[in-house]
Amino acid sequence: MPVDLHPQSSPNEPQQNAARTARAGDNAVLFAIAAAVALIHILTNSRYGFHRDELQFLSDARHMDWGFVAYPPFTAVVERIGMALFGLNMVGLRLFSVIAQAAAIFVTGLMARELGGSRFAQAVAALTTAFAPLAVFEGTEFQYTTFDYLWWVLIGYFVIRLLKSDNPRWWIAIGVTIGLGLETKYAIVFYIAGILTGLVFSRARRFLLTGWFWAGFAIALAIFLPNFIWLVHHDFISYQFLRHIHIRDVGEGRAEGFWRDQFHICANFAAVPLWIAGLIGFACSRRYRMLAFMAVVPVAIFWASKGRGYYTAGVYPALTAMGAVMAVNLLVKLPRWGRWTVKTAWFAAFAAVSCYVCAIVVPFASSGPLRDFALKNNGDLREEIGWDERVRTVVQIRDSLPPEQRAHLGVVTGNYGEYGAIDILGRAYGLPEPVGTTNSEWLRGYPTQPLTTLIVLGNRPEQVNELFTSCRLAGTNGNSEGVHNEESDDHPWIFVCGPPRMTWQQIWHDNRDFG
């Protein structure tokens, strides 16, 4: 029998080719949006200096463990890789955050596609996530919240794929992502509560009887297991930390304005109608109702427990994706002039809000009115100013001491920003590894060698005189920019002291702190 070397095309092949071409075009648009936002961050992420939180991550990355007092180990692992690749280059070290934010933007567009959205709907969903204030911030610094945000977005996407396809194998992807989330930030347990609630109270409960659900559950636990063992070994010290931080935040009013933050920080303000529509759309959909619970439950828990408003930002990309699809489907029913009017008005509002957000969050300028506006309105940017100068001041004080004092010199810090600055930036000047009792610094113990001269940072005069002998004020911590931040305003003093009044073990035991 002759073999047909040129078989006829399948009747469905033209449609399949067209679908692949359309999908490639959709991907190109989403990639362009994500790449443009990434480029903005890459071009501006070297304007100032490291944030105090970044200095803590860098320091912890030098002392790797299966857990840290303030957070699980994933962030430090990524930062350790970053230091190996880029050294202390800020743009390089922050590149992982930029990639994570770009991925969240791209995946939000994919969610809109899976929900039946056109290319325009996908672009709107991606843009609103790209310029949500919290999402913009996540690309400017290396923070554990950046990766936590990405895991929430990815889980939302995988759940949409699960519910759309009815393929229980998606529980493997969900389980892996939940496991990574547990290794990144413990707050994801509230999102897990939303997932489980949505499972029980929607038609998705049928997945509870499948082996794939339990396989995903087992994978998540297996990924989290090393950190869980670390927590057990350290008497769940991270729970003590989180409890302390929560009490502090409530006491200082940081948890106020929770509902305001849902509209102004977690999502772009111009996208509010979209995510509200998306929430209603999920709630009214028998197939996708699970996602409504995934949004409502963590928001309700954080509100009831007086959590900070930005903790819930990860639920909004999925809501916005559904809202964008619904809005575009409604637009096509309008006459052409109506569509043009609505699109023009919305994009004008969106552009205005996004420009305002970027002016506050992104360090576009290193001087001038735009820089002053950003520093005035963004406390996180102010915390990036002055660390190099503080380290150089410590170096100058050290170099002014006689040789016999420098021979047995130690540096004592009062908070994790100072510890990280001395530990990371001070290495270039030959400063010794600092002594601290904040967060995971406390777990590293106390000096075993005699230290007869101490440079003490981050403590008030009455504190240093209580802890150390023969203290004198040796310098102050301002900055040449004249920027007011925690270091310049709350504890600007730098002292030179003699040996401690008690043993290091007593100081180490009695002065443990969470910050």
Side-chain angles (χ1 to χ4, degrees), residues 159 162 167-176 178 192 195-200 204-221 290:
V159 169
L162 168 76
N167 185 346
R169 289 179 175 84
W170 282 104
W171 282 112
I172 301 300
I174 295 169
V176 170
I178 287 176
I192 296 172
I195 294 170
L196 297 177
T197 304
L199 270 174
V200 173
R205 71 177 66 90
R206 66 192 184 279
F207 291 116
L208 291 170
L209 301 177
T210 68
W212 292 103
F213 169 80
W214 296 104
F217 179 81
I219 289 172
L221 288 182
M290 178 180 169

Side-chain angles (χ1 to χ4, degrees), residues 339-420:
R339 293 197 299 270
W340 185 88
T341 301
V342 172
K343 288 181 179 180
T344 301
W346 186 84
F347 273 106
F350 172 75
V353 171
S354 300
C355 288
Y356 179 75
V357 167
C358 289
I360 292 176
V361 179
V362 180
F364 283 118
S366 55
S367 61
L370 188 57
R371 167 190 174 275
D372 296 340
F373 176 78
L375 290 176
K376 178 182 178 181
N377 292 279
N378 188 336
D380 283 296
L381 285 181
R382 292 196 296 272
E383 292 302 320
E384 295 180 3
I385 304 295
W387 292 109
D388 287 314
E389 291 181 66
R390 190 169 184 80
V391 170
R392 288 196 295 270
T393 300
V394 172
V395 171
Q396 291 171 1
I397 293 172
R398 179 201 62 184
D399 294 344
S400 69
L401 298 173
E404 61 272 16
Q405 290 184 331
R406 293 201 301 269
H408 300 283
L409 176 72
V411 179
V412 179
T413 59
N415 61 63
Y416 64 75
E418 295 167 349
Y419 186 99

Side-chain angles (χ1 to χ4, degrees), residues 445-476:
Y446 47 87
T448 56
Q449 71 278 19
L451 301 177
T452 57
T453 304
L454 303 170
I455 300 176
V456 183
L457 296 76
N459 288 269
R460 297 184 178 277
E462 60 272 19
Q463 293 172 307
V464 295
N465 287 319
E466 179 183 344
L467 294 173
F468 306 105
T469 59
S470 306
C471 293
R472 63 178 176 85
L473 183 65
T476 57

